[in-house]
Amino acid sequence: MKIERIDIIVTCPGRNFVTVKVVTSDGVHGLGDATLNGRELAVHAYLQEHVVPCLIGRDPRNIEDIWQYLYRGAYWRRGPVTMTAIAAIDMALWDIKGKLADMPVYQLLGGKSRDGLMVYGHANGRDHAEAVDAVLKHQEEGYKAIRVQSGVPGLEKTYGVGKTQGYYEPAEKGLPPEEPWDTALYLRHTPELFRKVREAVGPDAHLLHDAHHRLTPIEAAQLGKSLEPYRLFWIEDATPAENQESFRLIRQHTTTPLAVGEVFNAIWDCNQLIREQLVDYIRATIVHAGGITHVRRIADYAAMYQVRTGFHGATDLSPVCMAAAVNFGLWVPNFGIQELMPHSPLTDAVFPHNYRFEQGYLVMDEVPGLGVEIDETLAAQYPYERAYLPVARLRDGSMWNW
């Protein structure tokens, strides 16, 4: 069996997705997600010009060798474009192997560790009242864990809060929008938000919050300490993690659990964070961290230090990556939680899949491979449209972390 061809499909059913389709000489195909939000065509070019020509004629069953070939053989290692491209090929090869074995990928990894993945949804509001209402609505829908974000009085826009009702979609068509930021306003506002939410939902709901890399370490420590009375499941991305040691300062001041890593590309990005137990959940996602093959190494390493998974799962991951995440999460022993932002009905139509939400959990049936396909005819009706994530500036005009 050989790799006969590799197609790269770019489609925009409301937002941009890049999908790899690896086809074998036996006619079996596998899918992988190659979406890098706001840089989709960079990954497309890397795949088309530098990866695909090197893989034609290789045995698709040799997943480990192909992974090492793409990672070590390129010399220029890591980075979001390279690791997203590797991840897409890796997912597709696991999909093929599952179809050849007539088993779900989670069975190839070692079988189920659980029946379903507890997920958290996104409850957003322009103010406290709207945010509380959104949390209660998520509870009615069956969510046991809910991320809460609210507009900040005095700021025109706030991360996590969309312009209209419904799920928050940060990418916008055209050039990057610019948004104002004021940390002092945010730190005064957020504890009161969670006081009201906890009062409304009671003690049992798992509440999460995303600081989105906006804080310095001591500001993150202040936030974590102020939120301790409301018993958060975690604070996500409290401070930029390039300096992994900075999380030590946060740990010294708060017992609020910490999660980080959706922008990580490799195990080296989280080495110190895991080894020194500076975080409680690692959020590296399959599509941006080298695929199932590499994320499995991250999860095994994290398990040694009682760090659990909490994978990114926003709408910038296609249903192909979400299917891979469900397979992975059903197996991984140190699973913590899975983010879930449901895709639009149109996206679900382009990517029919087996995984589904049931009473706070993602579940899937015993289907071969990843359990996801792509309707190429429908996908072709929605061509690529340039879109970017916003950028943030402080009130004095200087750039800040978005």
Side-chain angles (χ1 to χ4, degrees), residues 51-197:
V51 173
V52 170
C54 298
L55 298 184
I56 303 302
R58 294 183 181 273
D59 189 333
R61 295 168 294 189
N62 295 335
I63 299 175
E64 184 64 43
D65 181 69
I66 289 175
W67 194 95
Q68 296 292 340
Y69 175 79
L70 294 176
Y71 180 80
R72 300 168 74 178
Y75 185 67
W76 308 106
R77 300 180 184 180
R78 301 163 60 184
V81 173
T82 295
M83 296 305 282
T84 299
I86 293 174
I89 298 297
D90 187 75
M91 276 183 260
L93 299 184
W94 279 101
D95 193 21
I96 288 170
K97 181 158 283 194
K99 290 173 180 175
L100 292 173
D102 197 29
M103 290 182 179
V105 168
Y106 65 75
Q107 291 290 10
L108 301 184
L109 293 171
K112 283 185 177 182
S113 295
R114 58 197 52 82
D115 295 324
L117 281 60
M118 185 172 74
V119 298
Y120 69 89
H122 289 205
N124 313 317
R126 289 170 293 185
D127 54 30
H128 290 181
E130 276 194 4
V132 171
D133 288 344
V135 171
L136 294 174
K137 183 175 184 295
H138 276 73
Q139 278 194 311
E140 292 173 0
E141 293 171 353
Y143 286 91
K144 295 172 174 55
I146 304 163
R147 193 190 84 166
V148 188
Q149 310 289 139
S150 171
V152 175
L155 292 180
E156 179 185 351
K157 298 179 180 178
T158 306
Y159 167 75
V161 181
K163 296 179 180 178
T164 59
Q165 294 292 328
Y167 296 105
Y168 171 61
E169 172 54 67
E172 295 189 28
K173 304 293 169 59
L175 297 177
E178 298 189 4
E179 299 178 354
W181 179 250
D182 188 314
T183 301
L185 289 178
Y186 166 79
L187 289 176
R188 288 202 301 270
H189 151 85
T190 305
E192 179 66 7
L193 167 67
F194 278 92
R195 183 192 68 79
K196 294 176 180 177
V197 171

